[in-house]
Amino acid sequence: ASESPTVIVIGAGMSGISAAKTLHEGGIHDILILEATPRIGGRLKKTQFSGLTVELGANWLFGGGPVPNPIRDMAKKLKLRTSLNYYENITSNTYKQEGGLYPSKLVEEIDKVATARDDFCAKFSEQLSAKQKDVDVSILSAQRILKQEPKTPLEMVIDFYHNDYEDAEPPKVTSLKHTYPRNEMMDHGEDLYFVADPRGFEIIPQYLAKQFLSSLTSDPRLKLNKVVREIIYSRNGVIVKTEDGCTYNSKYVILSVSVGVLQSDLIEFQPTLPLWKRIAITDFSMTIYTKIFVKFPYKFWPTGPGTEFFLYTHVRRGYYPLWQHLENEYPGSNILFVTVTADESRRIEQLPDEEIEAEIMEILKKLFGDNIPKPESILVPRWGLDKFYKGSYSNWPDNYSKKRKDHLAYPVGPVYFTGEHTNDRYLGYATGAYFAGIDTANDLIEYIKNKSCKGFNRNRWH
Ligand code: FAD
């Protein structure tokens, strides 16, 4: 790599790597990738937990839809070990707050209502898009229009399963128009493949990187452990400064950090980003989705067909609501896996592991009796507290216009922005990050080659 590359890509997650690969394929070989952590992958991140490889970040791939999913295609090519999840029986496995199962007929009825409500949301969203271009509402508002606001703990946990489990935020704050219909599932399918492979989900961005880098550790175009702290930009180009005192010059930058990082003060911009850009950043939503793994010495929960998932109902919406045993993914592992989101995630991220374990054990004792064993270990990822992520993925808030969303992706002079949050169709997902990198790199290639750009005014510096 030259001392003054044409493009510096900041971040080696899915979007940064797919942007760099696209630049390379577009004839721009003079690039430098600066990544804060010691690894490629970003929010695709594996770890070891009680002798197994589990995913701290993204876990599921979508399949079975009418549109090819490039991530799933790569996963197939790499023979990534996945397990198809079956949610159908969840209505037979819904527990009351104080223990004991709800009659499955009752839960099925409520789930049917929730499915009909989802269908209404999709239709209503299309109507709004066709007739009222500037109007958006929250998903909750659409539920109210239908006179079906979930109110009881049972209705709320089913609603969580239908919405928060995907968006990581409640319907109250989520855009109807930009969430329904759910494009990732409509296009790529509703078959959910759980990644459980010793190489981790991160093998996908690594595989992409290997197509243009000679090595993932020693290619001079990739510098790991480089925390960018300052971006100085002008019509002459960009100066990027890292925490270890290094300075890099380039003509352009592609910045792939999460919208959570953009909202924080990790990176200082000189001059300050224009107001339209800052508003687009600060008004968007970075959610937290927490996947807690708990390892026990033996199983005390039901196993076998139709038991994979269970719901826990509580008057407090989102209180340890969705559980999965990992018997299919990791046979004999004796691991329970519970998902928490949004405000509950923010709350538990502040707690020590022992307190989280105590809350979990109180619930499990209600469901399975006082004689259950103590966990051998617990794993609680804290994405919201991690300064290089500041959350799990983005969510489109209600009342956040498409125009503002476009501003989130627009470049400011020579500084281009990418990342899952800049994609409209699959934002939040690994596929969104993959396509975002391609789109941003193509915009930049177009500008470098033809000094023109499609769809946006590149010269909006102020
Ligand atoms: P990132 O992966 O965040 O990449 C940005 C990179 O920039 C990172 O490597 C970061 O270290 C680096 N960086 C940050 N600050 C600096 C700095 N100052 N200097 C240099 N480098 C910096 N998606 C799915 O498709 N399916 C799922 O099941 C799913 N579940 C998820 C569950 C969780 C808990 C999380 C966290 C995410 C999940 N996602 C899922 C979302 C998916 O992981 C992301 O959308 C995608 O990986 C984001 O890629 P990105 O390139 O946009 O951002």
Side-chain angles (χ1 to χ4, degrees):
S2 69
E3 285 303 305
S4 306
T6 306
V7 187
I8 292 176
V9 177
I10 300 173
M14 181 64 102
S15 67
I17 292 296
S18 96
K21 175 173 175 282
T22 307
L23 290 175
H24 181 84
E25 288 165 357
I28 297 170
H29 298 148
D30 196 14
I31 57 174
L32 176 65
I33 306 168
L34 299 175
E35 163 57 44
T37 69
R39 52 179 283 280
I40 285 179
R43 284 173 264 166
L44 304 185
K45 188 175 184 189
K46 67 176 180 194
T47 195
Q48 289 303 112
F49 177 62
S50 69
L52 295 164
T53 306
V54 297
E55 298 294 333
L56 291 167
N59 223 137
W60 284 277
L61 287 163
F62 294 76
V67 177
N69 178 354
I71 308 277
R72 177 141 159 75
D73 292 345
M74 285 186 263
K76 275 189 193 160
K77 197 165 178 179
L78 293 163
K79 298 193 167 45
L80 195 71
R81 185 172 168 270
T82 59
S83 169
L84 182 59
N85 283 172
Y86 291 97
Y87 289 87
E88 283 74 12
N89 266 70
I90 208 161
T91 49
S92 311
N93 307 327
T94 300
Y95 289 91
K96 297 175 187 167
Q97 182 166 338
E98 292 309 320
L101 286 167
Y102 279 102
S104 55
K105 276 235 153 36
L106 172 68
V107 189
E108 262 164 42
E109 277 310 307
I110 291 174
D111 188 52
K112 261 192 208 145
V113 171
T115 305
R117 204 162 55 211
D118 295 350
D119 293 343
F120 169 79
C121 282
K123 281 197 197 96
F124 187 48
S125 166
E126 276 163 2
Q127 271 173 12
L128 274 183
S129 299
K131 291 189 190 147
Q132 305 254 353
K133 285 213 164 15
D134 300 328
V135 178
D136 191 10
V137 296
S138 67
I139 297 175
L140 175 62
S141 169
Q143 294 175 335
R144 282 180 179 156
I145 286 170
L146 193 62
K147 302 239 175 303
Q148 279 185 13
E149 176 179 354
K151 286 193 174 138
T152 66
L154 182 54
E155 287 164 354
M156 283 194 292
V157 81
I158 296 288
D159 190 42
F160 180 99
Y161 162 54
H162 280 249
N163 288 297
D164 313 35
Y165 188 44
E166 212 47 48
D167 307 325
E169 282 199 315
K172 188 167 64 179
V173 297
T174 302
S175 158
L176 174 79
K177 227 167 158 174
H178 302 288
T179 310
Y180 277 89
R182 293 189 175 277
N183 295 319
E184 178 71 14
M185 292 175 192
M186 267 206 339
D187 292 356
H188 299 142
E190 293 188 26
D191 296 345
L192 282 170
Y193 293 90
F194 187 104
V195 176
D197 188 294
R199 295 165 296 170
F201 207 154
E202 63 197 51
I203 186 112
I204 306 265
Q206 287 170 1
Y207 165 75
L208 291 170
K210 279 183 192 154
Q211 291 171 42
F212 66 98
L213 295 177
S214 57
S215 148
L216 301 189
T217 47
S218 60
D219 189 305
R221 287 168 293 170
L222 170 68
K223 290 193 189 295
L224 301 171
N225 298 307
K226 288 285 181 186
V227 182
V228 171
R229 296 305 306 267
E230 202 175 342
I231 298 176
I232 304 164
Y233 62 100
S234 72
R235 287 179 200 281
N236 301 326
V238 192
I239 302 168
V240 175
K241 294 191 175 176
T242 53
E243 201 154 72
D244 56 3
C246 293
T247 298
Y248 303 89
N249 296 288
S250 63
K251 289 206 179 76
Y252 307 94
V253 152
I254 292 183
L255 183 56
S256 79
V257 301
S258 76
V259 70
V261 171
L262 293 175
Q263 287 166 355
S264 78
D265 57 5
L266 185 65
I267 302 175
E268 188 191 329
F269 292 88
Q270 298 267 14
T272 312
L273 290 172
L275 191 59
W276 59 266
K277 187 72 177 183
R278 278 182 283 148
I279 292 174
I281 291 169
T282 51
D283 254 13
F284 212 55
S285 199
M286 186 66 174
T287 67
I288 313 182
Y289 183 100
T290 312
K291 303 159 58 182
I292 305 171
F293 297 86
V294 199
K295 158 91 177 164
F296 290 93
Y298 56 86
K299 280 179 277 294
F300 50 83
W301 52 86
T303 50
T307 61
E308 193 171 358
F309 291 91
F310 62 90
L311 292 174
Y312 175 62
T313 307
H314 198 279
V315 285
R316 196 151 119 199
R317 187 190 172 102
Y319 191 73
Y320 302 99
L322 209 145
W323 299 70
Q324 182 174 1
H325 71 58
L326 298 180
E327 218 25 52
N328 301 342
E329 292 75 11
Y330 309 102
S333 63
N334 305 330
I335 294 177
L336 278 180
F337 166 42
V338 53
T339 301
V340 174
T341 64
D343 285 348
E344 278 299 314
S345 285
R346 270 175 213 103
R347 182 184 71 83
I348 65 165
E349 281 204 354
Q350 308 288 333
L351 301 178
D353 284 2
E354 306 79 70
E355 276 183 49
I356 299 168
E357 183 181 311
E359 289 185 348
I360 285 175
M361 285 307 284
E362 200 185 320
I363 295 170
L364 291 175
K365 282 185 178 166
K366 281 181 185 154
L367 308 193
F368 302 112
D370 285 336
N371 294 328
I372 60 171
K374 263 184 74 59
E376 285 176 358
S377 46
I378 178 165
L379 175 66
V380 187
R382 288 177 172 80
W383 288 97
L385 297 182
D386 189 325
K387 66 178 173 185
F388 299 136
Y389 302 95
K390 286 288 183 190
S392 301
Y393 49 88
S394 68
N395 186 36
W396 198 317
D398 66 321
N399 283 318
Y400 187 98
S401 67
K402 169 75 173 92
K403 187 172 165 213
R404 189 156 284 176
K405 180 67 173 49
D406 289 341
H407 286 173
L408 195 58
Y410 282 176
V412 177
V415 183
Y416 281 64
F417 292 80
T418 195
E420 52 83 7
H421 55 282
T422 66
N423 184 265
D424 282 357
R425 198 163 176 84
Y426 310 120
L427 93 156
Y429 296 99
T431 39
Y434 173 73
F435 286 120
I438 295 174
D439 292 344
T440 310
N442 280 331
D443 283 345
L444 180 53
I445 293 168
E446 166 95 5
Y447 184 75
I448 292 173
K449 293 199 168 155
N450 306 319
K451 289 283 178 262
S452 74
C453 37
K454 284 178 270 159
F456 56 84
N457 179 1
R458 194 186 159 275
N459 288 320
R460 281 196 66 182
W461 289 62
H462 305 291

